[in-house]
Structures are given as structure tokens and as C-alpha cells.
Amino acid sequence: MGKIRKTYDKEFKLQAIKLYYEEGMGSNSIGKELGIGISIVKRWINHYKREGIQGLEEKRGKATGFNKGRPRIEPLSDTEKIQRLEAENAYLKKLLALKKEMIQKRKP
């Protein structure tokens, strides 16, 4: 099982950024002052440089795209299941045919 990462709120991250820019503290000093890892402070500073205040917002759990994020709440309908399985079956048949072809080419 993986490690559970601690989540920090935006105000806490902003406090670290202010120490870096306004107080001129280094990431090592900020890490010791706030009791967090140096790499975390460096990551926050880089995100802030690239994206501004939005770079400090939590991004975990907001994945988008195909097959990312939380699973669907509603199960697939029967026709959607059949279509998905037919496409998977066709793909596997093509893969099997390619493997057979490669094996036949290797034989003398």
C-alpha cells in the first residue's frame, strides 16, 4: 500500500511563498520554520512561478480524460457493455493474428 500524502491548504502554501519572496528566506529555512520538507517548498515555489496563485490549489483528485478519476456512478447499459466487449474482442483477435504471424516468420 502506498504512502498517504498530507494535504496543505492554500493559505499555508501562500505563507511559505510569502516567506520566500517577502522575507527572502531560502527553501531550507522555510522548510524548517514550517516543519515541512524542502522538496515540498521548492515544488510550491515552482508552481507559483509558473501558474501564480492557482498553482497552489490542490490538483489531486481532479483528473480528467478517458478512464481517469472516479469510476462511473451509473453502471453501463447492456448495449454499452456489448459494444465495449465486441471492440475488446476484435482488438484481441488482431493481436493474436499478429503474434501468430511473427512466430511463423521466425520459423525457418
Side-chain angles (χ1 to χ4, degrees), residues 18-86:
K18 285 182 180 180
L19 289 173
Y20 180 78
Y21 282 108
E22 293 176 9
E23 302 294 325
M25 293 175 70
S27 52
N28 292 341
S29 307
I30 296 170
K32 289 177 185 174
E33 174 97 12
L34 299 177
I36 55 177
I38 299 163
S39 61
I40 294 173
V41 176
K42 289 180 180 180
R43 185 179 331 127
W44 293 347
I45 292 168
N46 287 333
H47 286 241
Y48 185 78
K49 284 179 183 176
R50 280 195 312 255
E51 304 170 36
I53 195 86
Q54 289 180 337
L56 301 178
E57 291 178 5
E58 184 61 44
K59 294 178 181 72
R60 286 183 283 162
K62 297 181 181 177
T64 57
F66 179 73
N67 241 2
K68 291 186 179 177
R70 294 188 174 152
R72 294 181 184 207
I73 296 171
E74 304 169 5
L76 295 174
S77 69
D78 289 341
T79 53
E80 289 174 322
K81 284 181 187 177
I82 291 171
Q83 288 175 343
R84 186 182 59 80
L85 290 171
E86 285 175 344

